[in-house]
Amino acid sequence: MNTNSFQLRHIGPRSNEQETMLKAIGVESLDQLIYETIPDDIRLGNELSLAPAMSEYEYLNHINQLGAKNKVFKSYIGLGYHEAILPSVIQRNILENPGWYTAYTPYQAEIAQGRLEALLNYQTMVCDLTGMELANASLLDEGTAAAEAMALLFDVRERAKKKAGANKFFISEEILPQTLSVLQTRAIPIGIELVVGDHTKFDFADDFFGAILQYPGKHGQVFDYSDFVTKANEKEIKVAVAADILSLAVLKAPGEFGVDVVVGTTQRFGIPLGYGGPHAGYFATKDAYKRSIPGRIIGVTKDTDGGRALRMALQTREQHIKRERATSNICTAQVLLAVMAGMYAVYHGKNGIEFIANKVHTATTTLAASLNRLGFINKNTSYFDTLLIEVEAAILRPIAESKGINFNYVDKNHVSISLNETVDLNEINAIVDCFEQAFNIKDIIVTEFVSEDVIPQNVKRNTSFLDNEVFNTYHSETEMMRYIKKLERKDLALNHSMISLGSCTMKLNAASEMLPLSNPQWGNIHPFVPLHQAEGYQTVLKNLEHQLNVVTGFAATSLQPNSGAQGEFAGLMVIRAYHEANGDSHRNICLIPASAHGTNPASAVMAGMKVVVTKTDDKGNIDVADLREKAEKHKDNLAALMVTYPSTHGVYEKAIKEITQIIHDNGGQVYMDGANMNAQVGLTNPATIGADVCHLNLHKTFAIPHGGGGPGVGPICVAPQLVPFLPTNPVVSTGGENAVTAISAAPWGSALACLISYGYITMLGADGLTNATKYAILNANYMKERLQGHFKTLYTGEMGRAAHEMILDCRAFKENGIEVVDIAKRLMDYGFHAPTVSFPVAGTIMVEPTESESLAELDRFCDALISIRKEIDAATKDDTNNVLKNAPHTQEMLTSDEWTLPYTRKQAAFPLEYIADNKFWPSVRRVDDAYGDRNLVCSCNPIEDYMEAEA
């Protein structure tokens, strides 16, 4: 056995097991299976042109050497990014713990109660600090959260505003520059006119529907917005505020001003800078807007026994349901980062957060007093953590950088300095020393903190926060460690068993890919540092872009989109810009197959396109005749086709090249959704099938962990004609010569997470990547054959093969009174997370084993499904008191003194022998979704306060 081979560790089945699997499938070789699965005319003729695979040892040396090329300065740049201290107990037990980072989105609530509680803590923290009634479980970053706020306010305009066509949105000139750029990107396609100006001179005209303010302002000034908000409310202009989360411990909560939405980032609650991400954006609003709030909300409900349970609330708001009627395409949150930020608040509590905020503020007043003694003027009359100093920047900058210090150089006569929780007297003296040396001033030594009252009384916080018990209990490391472990035990993650989610590719997230994330050489880099300070990052990001170009066959890549849905939007915006550059701005029709992901139509509408749905045939393939008819009908206005390949039905459609040619013949561009890229890498690619742009889910195909629902990364790769339009950033220029404005806040999106995919590709190499695809197909087809006769595979290719995933039809089981959700819940008793339920076809499950799962694990899962099928056959419509309808079964049930169910305890909890060896216990019984939506509770208040009186 070659112990240097990462491929050997990543791919599950052993070489000696391959023959058993191929025999079960009925083929002589793996190559024969691939031939029978993938149309020959789209197969690649050559191996991927990538560097030879590194061993794990070689890679870790390589990535550490690159990390050493990053210059970790003390960065006081601010602009929404601050160095933060990640408590070691959170780093070790969450960030570095596969029990937290390999979990899936908590759609199956009964085996996700730990994550759900952690997110409820996060929501409570956000509501408390912002003074708002409702918060979601995180968004992607501050810039995209602000864009979602604008879209929500546009959607909930008062009736008179809608009737009058009010479409202007005011943006304070104090807004962060990257936020302004993201707002511009989102506003233009949906017909919102942006007006940037001085909020003190705003005229509150009737044609405005909304406004956004920055609190504190981008260079640190704290404004009292109460009069602005009062006047806006009188004119039915809705107001959003982008607020620094730490400042809200000492500043008046925006909710007290009467605003409608508060957004921001929770990065400074213990999350590494990571060259821009991933960080959890926050979004808080009024209860009145609960049906319009984007993203996921965690809510309190009850289970079958009436006990308290948590779940994702109001799921019908999601874009998968609303499709082209959705106002947001948000699919991925930043759950892992939100959990960490929430735990930061749990660990420190109210008193700890106040201490940190006051420490930062006192350090800032101390620095202001020190610089004033040297003769430098601070332009900010009221501030929290940022000074705006009049100074000759060209003289100061080289001295500061020679001392390893970064400031924000606003213009030639001004510099802003944003302090953070790591700053003490040593750091203050180092900053003061820069000014002294630059301007040859006699040295002073700062020996004590100076506390000045620079925050006016009317903007000081006077309301309490974080009073709930959870924020006042776990302040010793022992207690915190045990609390984190208690929650972890309630969650089923990939470190326990296979999570065979179709379309979600839950594969191994290797330890060697993850280790660099804890290295401060990668974690402590501000996204707006000069490029020469981020040489290691620039090498990795450029190498990763090249690797993705090779894999897709395309010419260039943008890593900026920080989720798959953001990648969809970015790809369509690039197509839109391409048409506009060609004088074809009228092209706005987007063809989308009926089988497409729900984010596709939502993204198209966000990009200003009109969705035309095309049919699928009886075999689940795109109806080529219908597609041709609609493409020709709309040829003068055709902008794009959005297509997933292999299809969402788990089939390599033979007509794909004909389909893409039809679109090109009628003037459109082809956008390929990369959700199923795990079935393409090394065998075919988007360029070969005729696509022009694709997004890639690095959190699927390229091994970034799902983290319980994020982080995700969704870069776009493009053909040559689209390269000029790749997105830029207003602070650090990226993208093409005719770039669209920013898609996300940071220049390279979630750069820290990109290290994981770089490691995955670098350690697998061309041969390993290709074999990963082959084994994903092998594993899926092996399972298909093992389940034959028990479950019908809904769609297959022309030779009867599945791609890397398959849809199992469970609709016939209704005759036995069994719904697909019953199968999902029963799988928990067998120790498995359910596959994807009722997508893309209602009443089905979509199974994707990935290449990482061993033959033994595949067999265990198949044994579980076959056993469940026998239970289905024994069920009847008339008798609903059966093992499926009562699933899942908790430990409390099994250990109760009474057992009145018509089957044994063993049948309930240990239906197969293997389960006893590694039993996972769901912590609650089946949750009541409807009750949770009728009685929406999304913070940590005691459930007794909200429960309806029982009849």
Side-chain angles (χ1 to χ4, degrees):
M1 183 173 78
N2 180 3
T3 59
N4 289 325
S5 171
F6 176 73
Q7 177 184 169
L8 185 73
R9 308 302 190 182
H10 176 79
I11 293 174
R14 304 295 84 190
S15 57
N16 62 339
E17 296 170 340
Q18 187 186 122
E19 187 176 339
T20 301
M21 300 172 76
L22 293 171
K23 186 176 180 181
I25 295 168
V27 292
E28 295 293 326
S29 66
L30 186 54
D31 286 340
Q32 182 187 345
L33 173 62
I34 300 304
Y35 171 78
E36 293 181 5
T37 305
I38 304 178
D40 204 45
D41 66 334
I42 63 167
R43 286 289 305 275
L44 297 181
N46 299 304
E47 187 180 84
L48 297 173
S49 180
L50 294 169
M54 291 185 189
S55 70
E56 293 182 68
Y57 177 77
E58 290 170 333
Y59 173 72
L60 289 173
N61 284 332
H62 166 73
I63 201 70
N64 287 335
Q65 288 167 6
L66 288 179
K69 293 185 177 182
N70 292 323
K71 298 174 183 174
V72 182
F73 282 20
K74 296 297 290 187
S75 285
Y76 306 115
I77 298 169
L79 296 178
Y81 300 95
H82 305 266
E83 188 177 351
I85 299 172
L86 171 58
S88 298
V89 66
I90 297 175
Q91 175 175 320
R92 174 57 58 91
N93 292 288
I94 296 178
L95 176 62
E96 297 174 350
N97 183 350
W100 286 92
Y101 67 68
T102 69
Y104 181 59
T105 305
Y107 286 116
Q108 298 294 337
E110 296 84 356
I111 51 174
Q113 290 295 299
R115 227 167 324 136
L116 289 166
E117 180 172 329
L119 291 174
L120 193 73
N121 295 343
Y122 173 86
Q123 290 177 178
T124 305
M125 172 193 84
V126 171
C127 287
D128 281 5
L129 285 164
T130 61
M132 301 303 286
E133 297 165 333
L134 181 67
N136 69 15
S138 81
L139 289 179
L140 303 173
D141 58 27
E142 180 167 339
T144 53
E148 295 294 342
M150 176 182 68
L152 178 143
L153 297 182
F154 190 55
D155 184 50
V156 301
R157 288 171 294 170
E158 302 296 335
R159 185 175 298 177
K161 292 279 186 184
K162 286 184 178 179
K163 191 173 181 181
N167 73 331
K168 288 185 178 179
F169 187 71
F170 175 76
I171 303 176
S172 166
E173 61 191 11
E174 291 290 330
I175 205 79
L176 299 177
Q178 67 272 23
T179 299
L180 174 59
S181 188
V182 176
L183 286 167
Q184 290 168 335
T185 310
R186 286 288 297 273
I188 295 168
I190 56 176
I192 294 175
E193 181 182 340
L194 301 182
V195 177
V196 182
D198 183 343
H199 75 273
T200 64
K201 299 175 182 177
F202 181 51
D203 63 0
F204 301 95
D206 290 338
D207 51 356
F208 283 87
F209 71 87
I212 189 167
L213 309 166
Q214 191 81 41
Y215 183 59
K218 64 182 176 183
H219 297 138
Q221 179 69 30
V222 173
F223 296 96
D224 179 359
Y225 290 125
S226 53
D227 286 347
F228 181 96
V229 177
T230 298
K231 290 175 184 176
N233 287 340
E234 290 170 358
K235 288 286 192 172
E236 295 187 333
I237 297 171
K238 300 186 185 300
V239 180
V241 168
D244 180 298
I245 192 82
L246 184 61
S247 76
L248 299 183
V250 297
L251 299 181
K252 181 181 285 189
E256 292 189 66
F257 294 138
V259 304
D260 297 276
V261 183
V262 186
V263 299
T265 174
T266 54
Q267 179 269 315
R268 67 190 309 177
F269 273 26
I271 310 302
L273 285 164
Y275 205 37
H279 306 141
Y282 72 83
F283 190 107
T285 188
K286 296 177 176 179
D287 184 74
Y289 304 140
K290 62 189 176 188
R291 298 284 168 183
S292 299
I293 186 172
R296 298 166 183 154
I297 311 171
I298 307 310
V300 181
T301 187
K302 59 182 182 179
D303 71 1
T304 300
D305 291 336
R308 182 179 186 271
L310 305 175
R311 60 181 281 274
M312 283 171 56
L314 300 176
Q315 291 184 40
T316 53
R317 299 165 306 107
E318 291 203 353
Q319 74 292 330
H320 287 89
I321 307 295
K322 289 187 173 182
R323 298 177 72 83
E324 66 268 20
R325 294 181 295 106
T327 55
S328 168
N329 70 345
I330 290 295
C331 187
T332 307
Q334 296 280 31
V335 169
L336 185 67
L337 296 313
V339 166
M340 291 168 63
M343 288 298 185
Y344 180 93
V346 169
Y347 193 43
H348 292 310
K350 176 190 176 183
N351 293 338
I353 297 296
E354 282 185 333
F355 172 82
I356 293 166
N358 286 325
K359 177 174 181 278
V360 171
H361 181 58
T362 301
T364 311
T365 58
T366 302
L367 177 61
S370 303
L371 293 178
N372 186 54
R373 284 170 60 192
L374 297 177
F376 296 98
I377 299 171
N378 171 29
K379 303 282 285 185
N380 291 334
T381 55
S382 173
Y383 55 87
F384 166 62
D385 66 354
T386 300
L387 308 176
L388 181 62
I389 306 296
E390 277 192 25
V391 66
E392 291 181 71
I395 297 175
L396 177 64
R397 184 167 189 164
I399 299 298
E401 291 188 357
S402 72
K403 293 177 174 295
I405 292 175
N406 289 320
F407 301 130
N408 179 36
Y409 299 95
V410 177
D411 56 39
K412 65 181 182 180
N413 294 317
H414 294 91
V415 60
S416 69
I417 306 172
S418 296
L419 302 191
N420 58 67
E421 67 170 314
T422 70
V423 173
D424 219 320
L425 289 176
N426 289 334
E427 286 75 24
I428 293 171
N429 277 305
I431 294 170
V432 169
D433 190 51
C434 293
F435 284 80
E436 291 169 341
Q437 285 200 30
F439 298 98
N440 199 26
I441 301 172
K442 184 180 178 182
D443 289 357
I444 63 166
I445 304 296
V446 184
T447 58
E448 59 184 6
F449 286 108
V450 176
S451 182
E452 288 190 51
D453 195 5
V454 298
I455 300 175
Q457 196 63 37
N458 57 343
V459 288
K460 282 185 179 178
R461 185 166 195 117
N462 55 19
T463 54
S464 192
F465 60 95
L466 301 186
D467 293 323
N468 191 274
E469 183 181 2
V470 74
F471 300 109
N472 293 281
T473 303
Y474 307 106
H475 298 160
S476 75
E477 181 169 338
T478 306
E479 287 300 311
M480 186 65 179
M481 174 180 65
R482 289 172 183 160
Y483 177 60
I484 293 171
K485 190 65 181 178
K486 182 179 83 168
L487 298 190
E488 181 195 341
R489 282 197 301 263
K490 295 180 179 183
D491 283 14
L492 191 151
L494 235 133
N495 64 339
H496 180 273
S497 60
M498 173 168 66
I499 302 179
S500 59
L501 286 149
S503 188
C504 286
T505 316
M506 299 285 292
K507 62 171 67 180
L508 170 71
N509 312 124
S512 292
E513 296 159 7
M514 299 297 295
L515 284 173
L517 273 63
S518 297
N519 185 339
Q521 292 294 129
W522 297 107
N524 284 346
I525 306 290
H526 192 287
F528 300 148
V529 300
L531 292 182
H532 67 83
Q533 291 180 25
E535 185 181 341
Y537 260 117
Q538 287 299 308
T539 300
V540 166
L541 297 175
K542 285 174 183 173
N543 285 352
L544 179 58
E545 288 174 3
H546 170 73
Q547 290 168 336
L548 298 179
N549 291 344
V550 170
V551 165
T552 59
F554 281 141
T557 293
S558 169
L559 296 169
Q560 191 175 122
N562 47 10
S563 81
Q566 290 293 99
E568 292 177 20
F569 176 63
L572 293 174
M573 289 300 290
V574 165
I575 288 174
R576 175 190 169 97
Y578 166 78
H579 286 312
E580 288 179 346
N582 290 337
D584 289 336
S585 56
H586 57 279
R587 290 192 173 273
N588 68 340
I589 299 294
C590 186
L591 300 183
I592 301 180
S595 61
H597 287 89
T599 49
N600 287 179
S603 297
V605 170
M606 281 171 49
M609 296 181 185
K610 181 180 177 183
V611 174
V612 173
V613 178
T614 67
K615 298 176 183 175
T616 53
D617 62 23
D618 293 339
K619 295 182 178 179
N621 298 321
I622 292 173
D623 186 324
V624 177
D626 182 64
L627 178 97
R628 188 187 305 277
E629 177 187 333
K630 287 172 178 168
E632 291 176 351
K633 177 183 177 182
H634 297 289
K635 64 182 180 182
D636 294 334
N637 297 304
L638 182 62
L641 165 74
M642 298 187 80
V643 62
T644 302
Y645 200 78
S647 75
T648 309
H649 291 154
V651 175
Y652 293 90
E653 299 190 38
K654 196 171 179 65
I656 187 62
K657 293 181 84 170
E658 180 185 0
I659 288 166
T660 57
Q661 190 61 50
I662 290 169
I663 301 304
H664 291 146
D665 289 346
N666 288 281
Q669 294 282 285
V670 176
Y671 168 90
M672 193 206 83
D673 186 310
N676 291 341
M677 194 68 197
N678 208 45
Q680 285 198 44
V681 178
L683 300 179
T684 184
N685 63 35
T688 298
I689 69 171
D692 301 287
V693 55
C694 75
H695 91 266
L696 301 172
N697 297 99
L698 298 192
H699 50 288
K700 296 182 182 182
T701 305
F702 297 96
I704 290 178
H706 282 65
V713 180
I716 56 170
C717 307
V718 298
Q721 75 274 15
L722 299 180
V723 173
F725 309 103
L726 289 174
T728 188
N729 178 277
V731 183
V732 179
S733 181
T734 61
E737 58 196 43
N738 298 310
V740 300
T741 43
I743 297 297
S744 67
W748 287 275
S750 295
L752 183 62
C754 288
L755 296 179
I756 303 166
S757 297
Y758 176 65
Y760 171 82
I761 296 171
T762 302
M763 288 187 284
L764 277 178
D767 184 60
L769 287 170
T770 304
N771 280 335
T773 309
K774 289 180 178 179
Y775 273 85
I777 294 168
L778 173 67
N779 285 359
N781 280 278
Y782 172 74
M783 291 180 72
K784 172 180 168 292
E785 295 304 322
R786 270 223 60 196
L787 295 171
Q788 194 166 351
H790 305 283
F791 291 86
K792 175 188 173 186
T793 302
L794 196 56
Y795 301 115
T796 58
E798 290 193 356
M799 295 189 185
R801 303 301 178 200
H804 64 313
E805 62 189 9
M806 64 200 136
I807 297 174
L808 302 181
D809 193 350
C810 304
R811 292 172 292 188
F813 305 148
K814 289 186 178 184
E815 294 181 8
N816 298 67
I818 301 302
E819 302 289 340
V820 68
V821 68
D822 300 319
I823 299 171
K825 303 309 180 189
R826 182 58 174 151
L827 272 167
M828 298 175 190
D829 292 327
Y830 286 82
F832 286 105
H833 193 292
T836 303
V837 175
S838 288
F839 175 81
V841 180
T844 67
I845 55 175
M846 183 160 60
V847 181
E848 180 184 354
T850 83
E851 71 277 7
S852 307
E853 299 299 342
S854 68
L855 177 59
E857 186 73 355
L858 300 179
D859 281 335
R860 274 190 290 271
F861 185 77
C862 290
D863 290 343
L865 277 181
I866 291 167
S867 178
I868 288 172
R869 176 58 202 269
K870 292 174 184 175
E871 294 170 350
I872 293 169
D873 290 340
T876 65
K877 263 187 179 179
D878 299 329
D879 183 10
T880 58
N881 190 19
N882 60 54
V883 73
L884 285 140
K885 287 294 185 183
N886 290 328
H889 298 82
T890 63
Q891 190 175 42
E892 184 179 0
M893 290 175 67
L894 268 288
T895 56
S896 172
D897 290 338
E898 293 186 19
W899 182 264
T900 58
L901 298 175
Y903 47 87
T904 67
R905 297 178 201 244
K906 182 178 181 181
Q907 285 174 305
F910 301 98
L912 292 176
E913 283 187 21
Y914 76 81
I915 298 170
D917 185 51
N918 190 28
K919 176 66 180 175
F920 180 88
W921 291 101
S923 53
V924 297
R925 294 195 65 193
R926 195 175 303 195
V927 300
D928 189 333
D929 291 326
Y931 182 91
D933 283 352
R934 288 196 311 271
N935 304 275
L936 190 64
V937 179
C938 297
S939 59
C940 292
N941 305 68
I943 190 67
E944 293 80 9
D945 293 353
Y946 301 93
M947 285 291 191
E948 291 177 328
E950 295 294 336

